[in-house]
Amino acid sequence: MDDALAHPSRRTRWLRRKLAASAAAAVAVALLVTGSGYWVRASAAEHVYELASVPAAPVALVLGAQVRPDGTPSEFLAGRLEVARRLVEADLVRAVLVSGDHREWDYDEPGAMRRWLIDRGVPADRIVQDHAGLDTYDSCLRARRVFGVEQAIVVTQSFHIERAVTVCRRVGVDAVGVGDDSVRRFERAWRWGAFRERFAAVKAAYDVLVGRDPALPGPPETSLDDALRD
């Protein structure tokens, strides 16, 4: 045993210091989570709408989520896509940018999203794919830098929408958001998503603060401009 811990009084002091350090770390984490959550909510205030009242924008930015092994969207992703379909149907957007993960050849969120929308009547030439939207920050930043999005309606689940709107606005997109609530019936997954948001807000604050580049920056693309001109 370490000489410093051999004597009972020294062990007691060591334990007290360890406990104090642990308590201080716990308080710091709690403050960080609380502060990041407040920042997200305050930044998104007055920019989150119901579908019936959201103002029109040129583009709907639909954030990716899980795709099943057969290539079809999960219920959560399908809920987001249905909101986007309704935005198109109501002439509230002229194009849809579907942004998600396609790092593996056999896992393609944007492709699944595009097929779902086309199968439900959204014209193919109004859908643009971002295959490198690996997380919320990357999707928002690539929408601005790669696809030139200046104004958009962001679409995701309602427990995620404040963070998505906040990040998009902080990276230069004049964004409002519409959250999907149709999958609240999946209570366990919904609660987990809402819980995860508390810590995801910390990462969002860090990403915005340091201004990190997206994982796959990519050159500017004109595909969205083409879709908006049609």
Side-chain angles (χ1 to χ4, degrees):
M1 181 181 291
D2 192 313
D3 290 343
L5 303 180
H7 194 280
S9 63
R10 290 177 180 173
R11 286 201 301 273
T12 299
R13 290 196 296 271
W14 180 82
L15 286 172
R16 286 175 178 171
R17 287 197 295 270
K18 291 290 286 184
L19 289 172
S22 298
V27 170
V29 169
L31 289 173
L32 188 60
V33 170
T34 301
S36 298
Y38 175 80
W39 169 73
V40 163
R41 290 190 298 274
S43 298
E46 301 182 3
H47 301 297
V48 175
Y49 292 82
E50 299 293 330
L51 182 62
S53 60
V54 66
V59 180
L61 170 60
V62 187
L63 303 180
Q66 184 181 16
V67 169
R68 299 188 186 97
D70 65 359
T72 59
S74 63
E75 287 83 357
F76 277 66
L77 183 53
R80 302 177 187 191
L81 293 167
E82 174 60 17
V83 172
R85 187 196 68 78
R86 293 182 182 181
L87 290 171
V88 173
E89 183 179 59
D91 289 327
L92 290 169
V93 297
R94 305 202 317 273
V96 181
L97 176 60
V98 292
S99 180
D101 189 347
H102 190 190
R103 282 174 290 189
E104 301 295 332
W105 179 255
D106 59 352
Y107 184 79
D108 182 3
E109 289 178 3
M113 296 160 80
R114 182 176 186 273
R115 287 191 298 273
W116 191 98
L117 289 169
I118 291 173
D119 288 346
R120 286 154 182 81
V122 177
D125 59 3
R126 298 181 68 181
I127 305 168
V128 176
Q129 300 175 80
D130 177 7
H131 292 274
L134 306 185
D135 61 14
T136 301
Y137 179 85
D138 281 18
S139 289
C140 291
L141 189 55
R142 283 178 55 84
R144 183 70 189 96
R145 290 187 182 177
V146 175
F147 294 91
V149 176
E150 296 181 354
Q151 185 181 12
I153 300 174
V154 186
V155 180
T156 183
Q157 264 68 53
S158 60
F159 60 70
H160 177 206
I161 195 64
E162 290 180 331
R163 176 164 63 93
V165 168
T166 292
V167 171
C168 279
R169 295 186 69 83
R170 293 288 177 165
V171 300
V173 179
D174 181 10
V176 296
V178 175
D180 167 61
D181 285 325
S182 69
V183 289
R184 277 184 179 269
R185 64 187 184 278
F186 300 101
E187 294 183 9
R188 180 177 296 180
W190 188 273
R191 286 197 301 269
W192 169 247
F195 174 78
R196 179 180 173 274
E197 279 302 304
R198 301 177 187 178
F199 301 93
V202 177
K203 179 181 181 299
Y206 173 81
D207 286 340
V208 169
L209 180 64
V210 303
R212 74 165 175 87
D213 288 329
L216 298 171
E221 296 188 18
T222 62
S223 51
L224 187 58
D225 290 335
D226 295 338
L228 290 170
R229 278 196 294 268
D230 289 342

